[in-house]
């Protein structure tokens, strides 16, 4: 079974801090994704990566950056955390090439991030 | 403007009856359609999918229907069980954005 592991289930940080969310997948998937989920807004794509060192902006990249130095690991960085970044963050991985892959995405259990 | 709409934020169905979840879209370039299920405090899990060359795909209690002329996708669950209570997202592949998720429908199965 595919396993996508997010480093923290719950995280509390302060405004202005630099925040790192880590995600690791164990199935050698090419694609990795970061989403945030907010009530009434569904899943919104922040960034995705289709290969090592490759990254593409999603729908809401402002205030975020990403890093993919190894195939199995995809990090989301909040450069200077703000209260409007309080959310549930979900990492996912899949086979195929980028957003046009018809392969199902496998999700981690999410990180509930609170910015105070 | 939303390309993908799940017009019912929530749906309540009695145990044993059929649950029908709907997803409408505007872009005829979508060519692959998936449904995901999400429990609270867990990530979404893949449920079932369908290609645009088909109009029906079945997997046990779950059936997905695609009506391309109406640009309408539906998921039927029969019979509904308490463990089906969750949020269901449709996800569409194709078009300019590549991948688009609906906002989700919260299905509640009443005993």
């Amino acid at each position: 079974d595919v396993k996508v592991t997010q480093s923290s289930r719950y995280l509390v940080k302060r405004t202005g801090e630099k925040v790192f969310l880590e995600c690791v997948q164990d199935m050698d998937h090419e694609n990795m994704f970061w989403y945030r989920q907010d009530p009434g807004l569904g899943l919104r794509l922040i960034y995705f990566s289709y290969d090592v060192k490759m990254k593409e902006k999603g729908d809401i990249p402002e205030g975020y950056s990403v890093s993919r130095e190894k195939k199995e690991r995809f990090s989301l960085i909040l450069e200077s955390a703000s209260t409007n970044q309080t959310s549930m963050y979900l990492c996912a991985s899949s086979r195929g090439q980028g957003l046009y892959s018809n392969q199902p995405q496998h999700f981690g259990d999410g990180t509930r991030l609170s910015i105070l | 403007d939303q390309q993908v709409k799940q017009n019912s934020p929530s749906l309540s169905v009695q145990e044993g009856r059929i649950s029908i979840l709907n997803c409408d879209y505007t872009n005829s370039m979508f060519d692959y359609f998936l449904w995901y299920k999400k429990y609270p405090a867990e990530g979404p899990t893949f449920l079932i999918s369908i290609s645009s060359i088909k109009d029906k795909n079945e997997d046990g209690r779950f059936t997905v229907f695609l009506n391309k002329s109406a640009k309408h996708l539906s998921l039927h669950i029969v019979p509904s069980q308490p463990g089906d209570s969750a949020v269901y997202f449709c996800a569409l592949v194709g078009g300019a954005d590549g991948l688009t998720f609906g906002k989700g429908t919260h299905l509640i199965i009443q005993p």
Side-chain angles (χ1 to χ4, degrees):
Chain A
D1 253 4
V2 175
K3 185 101 173 125
V4 178
T5 304
Q6 295 184 229
S7 53
S8 305
R9 292 299 302 270
Y10 301 93
L11 208 51
V12 180
K13 296 291 182 180
R14 295 210 171 272
T15 304
E17 279 192 71
K18 190 168 186 175
V19 181
F20 293 85
L21 302 183
E22 305 288 345
C23 176
V24 177
Q25 52 98 0
D26 65 359
M27 282 302 289
D28 202 38
H29 284 169
E30 293 83 8
N31 301 321
M32 294 190 77
F33 308 83
W34 274 107
Y35 297 89
R36 60 179 284 178
Q37 183 191 8
D38 300 288
L41 298 178
L43 293 171
R44 293 183 293 167
L45 181 65
I46 304 171
Y47 268 97
F48 72 97
S49 168
Y50 54 89
D51 202 350
V52 176
K53 296 194 187 294
M54 306 305 291
K55 59 186 178 185
E56 295 285 344
K57 292 179 181 179
D59 300 317
I60 50 163
E62 296 78 19
Y64 302 95
S65 63
V66 289
S67 171
R68 193 164 180 203
E69 296 297 317
K70 293 186 177 181
K71 192 173 186 180
E72 66 270 20
R73 186 179 296 269
F74 192 35
S75 304
L76 179 70
I77 303 150
L78 284 67
E79 299 290 343
S80 177
S82 64
T83 54
N84 63 12
Q85 292 179 308
T86 291
S87 186
M88 167 71 85
Y89 289 87
L90 291 160
C91 175
S93 72
S94 74
R95 294 203 180 284
Q97 287 299 310
L99 289 180
Y100 292 89
S101 169
N102 60 12
Q103 297 298 306
Q105 294 188 19
H106 299 263
F107 286 82
D109 283 337
T111 296
R112 173 74 64 187
L113 175 63
S114 296
I115 307 296
L116 304 179
Chain B
D1 195 23
Q2 286 178 255
Q3 290 194 75
V4 178
K5 287 186 181 179
Q6 292 183 253
N7 287 319
S8 301
S10 68
L11 177 67
S12 185
V13 174
Q14 252 191 326
E15 183 178 354
R17 299 285 188 109
I18 184 170
S19 295
I20 300 176
L21 298 129
N22 295 305
C23 182
D24 294 297
Y25 59 96
T26 56
N27 188 342
S28 58
M29 299 300 290
F30 291 123
D31 58 10
Y32 204 77
F33 306 83
L34 306 98
W35 283 97
Y36 290 84
K37 172 181 177 178
K38 185 183 184 299
Y39 292 120
E42 293 183 14
T45 54
F46 168 70
L47 202 52
I48 193 169
S49 63
I50 188 168
S51 161
S52 60
I53 62 173
K54 295 187 173 183
D55 54 20
K56 178 182 174 181
N57 187 25
E58 200 170 342
D59 183 3
R61 295 186 298 114
F62 302 92
T63 304
V64 56
F65 294 93
L66 177 63
N67 183 333
K68 287 188 291 292
S69 59
K71 297 189 179 72
H72 180 77
L73 179 75
S74 63
L75 174 67
H76 292 210
I77 306 171
V78 55
S80 300
Q81 297 175 355
D84 297 329
S85 294
V87 177
Y88 290 80
F89 294 97
C90 59
L92 283 59
V93 180
D97 294 331
L99 174 67
T100 307
F101 277 89
K103 294 191 189 307
T105 296
H106 184 195
L107 177 64
I108 302 159
I109 304 302
Q110 307 276 10

